[in-house]
Amino acid sequence: MDDGVPRVPEQRRPGPSEEPATPRFSVLGPVRAWRGDEPLTTGSPQQRALLAALLLREGRTATAAELIDALWGEEPPSQALAALRTYASRLRKVLDAGVLVSESGGYAIRSLGEGALDLAVAQDLAAEADKARNTGDLCHAREVLGRALALWDGETLAGVPGPYAEAQRVRLEEWRLQLLESRLDMDLEQGCHAEAVSELTALTAAHPLRERLRELLMLALYRSGRQAEALAVYADTRRLLAEELGVDPRTGLRDLQQRILQADPTLAEPSAPVTEPAAARVRPAQLPATVPDFTGRASFVAELGEVLASAEGRVMAVSALAGIGGVGKTTLAVHVAHQARSSFPDGQLYVDLQGAGSRSAEPETVLGSFLRALGTADSAIPDSLEERSALYRSVLDGRRVLVLLDNARDAAQVRPLLPGTEGCAALVTSRVRMVDLAGAHLVDLDVMSPDEALSLFTKIVGKERVASEREAALDVVAACGFLPLAIRIAASRLAARRTWTVSVLAAKLADERRRLDELQAGDLAVKATFELGYGALEPAQARAFRLLGLADGPDISLAAAAAVLDLPVDESEDLLESLVDTSLLESAAPGRYRFHDLVRLYARACAERDEQPPSEREAALSRLLDFYLGTAAGVYAIERPGDRLVDHLAGTEYPGLLFESPRAAQDWLYSEANCLLACVRQSSNAKSLRRAVDLLWATKDLAESGANAREYEVAALSVRDAAHAAGDARAEGRALTALTNVHLVAGRFSEADEKARLAMELASEAHDPLPSCWAPNDRGIIAIYENRHADGERYLQQAIDNFRADGNDVGEASALCNLSRIHLAMGRTASAIDLAQQGIDIYDRMGLTLRLANGRYALGIALTQAGQFAEALDQLTDALTLFHDNRQPLWEGVTHFRIAEVHLAAHRPTLAASHAEQAIALRGIGGEWRRGTVLTVLGKALATLGQSDRASACWREALSIYELLGSSEAGEVRELLAPAAAA
């Protein structure tokens, strides 16, 4: 069968009694041979040409005449036959017996084991990928095809002479490109368009007339929100084809251009869906466990089950359950969802939207989690809510997935999370009726009937104990208001106390603070329910319940809880687990705990009412702040040994954690990010304000990593305002310096400079060395970006002097590296290199890693301007690795940009474009200003490659950014665009 795919022989495999053949061969690169891990000598180029010809003959015998023609073509040497026999003899001595055989006046390669030839392996992998793709398993197909492509090691049959080798080289290169196009097509189908742009840009530069690659690039750009560039690729392609071949683009390319011009909504969908879509490899199964004693609700179970069963023939089935807290919405929804799992074979998604709390889940965050659960790579997940929602619907297209959206705030929170495609369904629970959720099947869940309530109580307590005291049991469930959660708490208490009778419990409930007199509606019923459970707690449990509810974070670790309680970890764990048993606390994950949002509010009310003296509440939160600050300071010290910043932080009384490795310290910092920043916001009072500000300083990586920049900024604003109101110059100056860093990372230079100026004034007033050092350092960086070189040199020299006065070598190194860039901008290249090297020497001496990356980054920039491109690439590549290892995507992106500048200066535009695209794909390159700088360099690389229309599109976007920001770089971009405008 001739399908265009290179075929190799189905080699004879050794029988069970034979020793397995050991030679291995490669033709997808240089022609090489191994026995085990030992390389074998393959001889001269002509001898390798013979070996390659035999390996590619599909197991058939090649006659001497055929081989002579393969090696020498139409003008063989006079002794060609003798030379051929000599080559064969030499190969036979190198290879195992029976591998190279003579027959019928020719030769053949036989007895190769499985996987002995890289081309055969690639062919098998390609067939497996094709099969997986046809069954809809794109994840597996992409992975397998990637393995096939990785077998190529440079040019096929590299260095092998002869017309046969040349023909095979062309054929196998064409096949490689077809495999590559297939893999890239699947990349786009799975939403990896942003990361595909970089690779496609390089490939179109290497193969400018290959229209399929141009088509994929246009689609990748369009899906990345870069419509103008996508259309520019078409214009470049049309011009190139006319100039080189005198033809127009093929129909597929022309049609794609028209669809882009019309903003065809189907372009956001998979470009080549299979005929019979099947489930993706990733099948999420996120439903919480259903309760084993689920009781009653039969009519609701049947009603909801019927709606979900109809999902296959409807655009989307949505059921929204509403009811007061504790009425059992989640329990019912989870039970129904588990019963319906067989109707949704492609998976089930679940999220607690925390709608009843003060900080409900953001749809953007939830969509990011859902997309990851569905197999989408982080780099392919867009930033905006609209883009994430569109990608989410595209990923779900063709799948049958059930989505359970628990504890929703309102319809606006839910709408972006709905699948929107046939075969999918959504179950929503909320305290409010979602009358404005179009097309939803609304279910109002009331309290249980007396019979259902008694049945639930009996299942938990046991039939024997209830049977003899039925009236008392009815009194208990009535006192619980027939609320399922209240019944479960009361029954669990009774079940845990074998000496109690049901009548004892009923009597206790009858005497409990007359709560039923206060029961009116809604949350009051929930409060009554929690009061029942709280009243049954032992004193130590009740204290833990009250104090843990004071913390603002979304959850709390065991170590942090021990700090709040001022107890050993083991004792704290016993208390927390006992609270989990009573359903007053949830175990979010091993070693982590959280309150239901309504339970937390109730716990705080109990703390205000019962925790005596009141100072104990402040002490608990103070210990938590001490724990976070002490641990974060330790993380900072591990990452930056010798940095004196930690010496200037406020003292703590409660100790923090110790870590065995930098990786463990980093893991703690990022896993606790939300809790840390919540603690900062919560601690904006006079007694804890300074420690709260210092916690911001110790966790500054959260601002620079990009992952938590927004939350970090909110926390910094909170303590800045509190410090200003309190008249605390030291705290306000430090908060302003933290805000300076936030604005600087985001490219908001004017705001950053103003904050740094105020911080310097307050630092002088408070005699605080921290802002006195770091604020002028930041102002120097800002001056670099704003081309105020004299100002920058003055600020950075001031920072260096202050760092030296404080004995902070690490800070001095940072300022030296920044001053290097000022000297570079002023044309003092030699001193710029020297300053950067001084900074690196300090970092090396102190054993730093993350800061060493900044030093190498600065030195790489200086070496680039000095024309030392190889040395610059070495420094920047090392910096890139360090930034990646330390989870700094912002600096990864900026370093890719600098590497692009090096390649552009060294006249390597393809590599320059590739690195610029990687900077854009990282998404966290530091605000719109930095995006403009990357687009400018990308445009220059594309223009050098002859892609003038796409280059102009990049420059126009950069110009719009600069004009909006009022940046001086707009002038340079206008000059770049001028020739195109004149044409």
Side-chain angles (χ1 to χ4, degrees), residues 646-666:
V646 294
D647 299 328
H648 296 299
L649 301 179
T652 58
E653 296 180 5
Y654 195 92
L657 297 174
L658 300 176
F659 299 100
E660 297 181 356
S661 67
R663 173 60 63 178
Q666 269 194 348

Side-chain angles (χ1 to χ4, degrees), residues 516-534:
L516 295 179
D517 293 338
E518 301 176 6
L519 185 60
Q520 297 178 11
D523 291 344
L524 293 176
V526 178
K527 181 178 179 182
T529 300
F530 299 149
E531 191 77 34
L532 291 172
Y534 174 67

Side-chain angles (χ1 to χ4, degrees), residues 369-690:
S369 176
F370 279 179
L371 286 167
R372 280 187 285 272
L374 290 165
T376 305
D378 279 353
S379 58
I381 298 176
D383 290 330
S384 72
L385 171 62
E386 294 76 15
E387 288 178 308
R388 288 189 178 191
S389 186
L391 177 59
Y392 169 65
R393 293 190 295 272
S394 297
V395 171
L396 288 179
D397 186 39
R399 302 189 191 186
R400 295 173 62 188
V401 174
L402 174 62
V403 183
L404 177 45
L405 305 173
D406 193 18
N407 196 10
R409 180 189 66 232
D410 51 30
Q413 185 188 28
V414 166
R415 287 190 191 98
L417 309 178
L418 297 177
T421 54
E422 181 178 341
C424 291
L427 268 176
V428 184
T429 73
S430 176
R431 294 170 63 195
V432 299
R433 295 188 80 244
M434 296 207 172
V435 294
D436 53 345
L437 192 60
H441 174 76
L442 301 181
V443 176
D444 291 324
L445 196 60
D446 201 350
V447 297
M448 283 182 153
S449 69
D451 288 343
E452 287 177 332
L454 183 61
S455 177
L456 175 59
F457 183 81
T458 302
K459 282 187 177 181
I460 298 172
V461 173
K463 289 183 179 179
E464 292 183 3
R465 298 177 75 180
V466 174
S468 60
E469 298 184 272
R470 180 178 171 81
E471 291 302 320
L474 286 171
D475 289 341
V476 169
V477 296
C480 292
F482 303 110
L483 285 169
L485 183 57
I487 296 167
R488 184 174 297 280
I489 293 172
S492 298
R493 292 287 87 199
L494 181 59
R497 289 163 173 78
R498 303 304 302 176
T499 59
W500 284 15
T501 63
V502 180
S503 297
V504 170
L505 177 60
K508 287 180 176 291
L509 296 180
D511 294 337
E512 290 282 357
R513 285 175 292 278
R514 304 181 58 82
R515 239 176 305 151
L516 295 179
D517 293 338
E518 301 176 6
L519 185 60
Q520 297 178 11
D523 291 344
L524 293 176
V526 178
K527 181 178 179 182
T529 300
F530 299 149
E531 191 77 34
L532 291 172
Y534 174 67
L537 296 177
E538 302 294 337
Q541 293 175 315
R543 175 180 178 270
F545 177 73
R546 293 191 300 267
L547 295 183
L548 290 174
L550 296 172
D552 266 355
D555 61 1
I556 192 167
S557 68
L558 176 58
V564 171
L565 302 178
D566 198 18
L567 293 173
V569 170
D570 290 344
E571 188 175 342
S572 299
E573 185 174 21
D574 290 341
L575 280 173
L576 269 60
E577 288 297 328
S578 71
L579 290 174
V580 171
D581 292 339
T582 66
S583 300
L584 288 173
L585 191 67
E586 300 175 14
S587 179
R592 300 198 74 86
Y593 301 88
R594 68 186 176 206
F595 282 107
H596 183 282
D597 42 21
L598 296 175
V599 179
R600 184 201 299 274
L601 294 175
Y602 174 71
R604 290 183 177 179
C606 291
E608 293 176 2
R609 181 188 66 197
D610 300 337
E611 196 61 44
Q612 301 298 330
S615 59
E616 180 58 21
R617 300 197 297 270
E618 294 181 3
L621 290 175
S622 180
R623 289 191 297 270
L624 179 63
L625 178 57
D626 274 358
F627 168 76
Y628 282 146
L629 177 55
T631 307
V635 173
Y636 189 96
I638 289 174
E639 292 184 338
R640 301 167 176 83
D643 191 332
R644 288 211 62 225
L645 181 145
V646 294
D647 299 328
H648 296 299
L649 301 179
T652 58
E653 296 180 5
Y654 195 92
L657 297 174
L658 300 176
F659 299 100
E660 297 181 356
S661 67
R663 173 60 63 178
Q666 269 194 348
D667 288 342
W668 179 88
L669 177 65
Y670 289 104
S671 66
E672 293 284 354
N674 290 328
C675 294
L676 292 167
L677 297 175
C679 185
V680 171
R681 293 193 301 270
Q682 189 176 15
S683 303
S684 301
N685 56 71
K687 291 185 178 180
S688 58
L689 179 57
R690 291 194 173 188

Side-chain angles (χ1 to χ4, degrees), residues 126-243:
E128 182 181 348
D130 191 52
K131 181 179 179 181
R133 186 175 187 181
N134 287 336
T135 59
D137 196 346
L138 292 184
C139 290
H140 184 59
R142 287 175 65 207
E143 186 269 332
V144 170
L145 209 49
R147 283 160 47 199
L149 287 164
L151 293 172
W152 266 266
D153 184 17
E155 182 185 38
T156 301
L157 303 174
V160 175
Y164 180 79
E166 180 59 30
Q168 294 298 313
R169 203 161 19 242
V170 172
R171 184 171 67 95
L172 291 173
E173 173 61 13
E174 172 62 25
W175 184 51
R176 184 186 73 86
L177 288 172
Q178 290 174 4
L179 295 181
L180 195 54
E181 288 169 346
S182 180
R183 198 218 74 214
L184 286 163
D185 194 24
M186 287 188 284
D187 287 349
L188 299 190
E189 285 195 61
Q190 291 217 301
C192 300
H193 37 266
E195 60 187 14
V197 170
S198 173
E199 187 174 2
L200 283 164
T201 297
L203 285 169
T204 53
H207 306 279
L209 297 176
R210 199 170 183 92
E211 292 185 61
R212 178 56 180 157
L213 290 175
R214 297 274 186 159
E215 186 177 339
L216 290 169
L217 177 57
M218 288 174 64
L219 186 57
L221 286 167
Y222 181 76
R223 290 184 178 174
S224 299
R226 299 160 69 178
Q227 179 180 2
E229 283 186 70
L231 293 171
V233 169
Y234 177 81
D236 285 328
T237 306
R238 183 180 59 184
R239 186 182 62 255
L240 182 66
L241 290 172
E243 292 174 353

Side-chain angles (χ1 to χ4, degrees), residues 194 197 221 224-229 383 387 745-747 749 890 893-894 897 916-939 950 953-962 965 967 969 973:
V197 170
L221 286 167
S224 299
R226 299 160 69 178
Q227 179 180 2
E229 283 186 70
D383 290 330
E387 288 178 308
V745 166
F749 303 128
L890 162 70
V894 174
F897 162 67
E917 285 290 0
Q918 289 179 67
I920 292 174
L922 276 167
R923 299 181 183 277
I925 56 174
E928 285 298 286
W929 180 86
R930 284 193 175 87
R931 178 178 172 82
T933 64
V934 178
L935 286 168
T936 303
V937 167
L938 175 59
R950 188 179 166 201
C954 291
W955 291 333
R956 282 192 295 270
E957 185 178 352
L959 180 61
S960 67
I961 290 172
Y962 291 144
L965 297 174
S967 301
E969 288 82 3
V973 179

Side-chain angles (χ1 to χ4, degrees), residues 6-9 27 31 45-75 84 107 109 117 119 156-173:
R7 313 301 296 179
V8 295
V27 293
V31 176
Q46 282 77 17
Q47 188 170 307
R48 292 198 302 276
L50 172 62
L51 177 60
L54 293 174
L55 288 170
L56 295 172
R57 289 288 293 183
E58 299 190 0
R60 299 189 303 273
T61 300
T63 66
E66 289 173 330
L67 291 172
I68 289 172
D69 184 62
L71 269 64
W72 290 287
E74 296 180 357
E75 297 181 0
L84 183 67
Y107 301 96
I109 293 285
L117 179 63
L119 177 57
T156 301
L157 303 174
V160 175
Y164 180 79
E166 180 59 30
Q168 294 298 313
R169 203 161 19 242
V170 172
R171 184 171 67 95
L172 291 173
E173 173 61 13

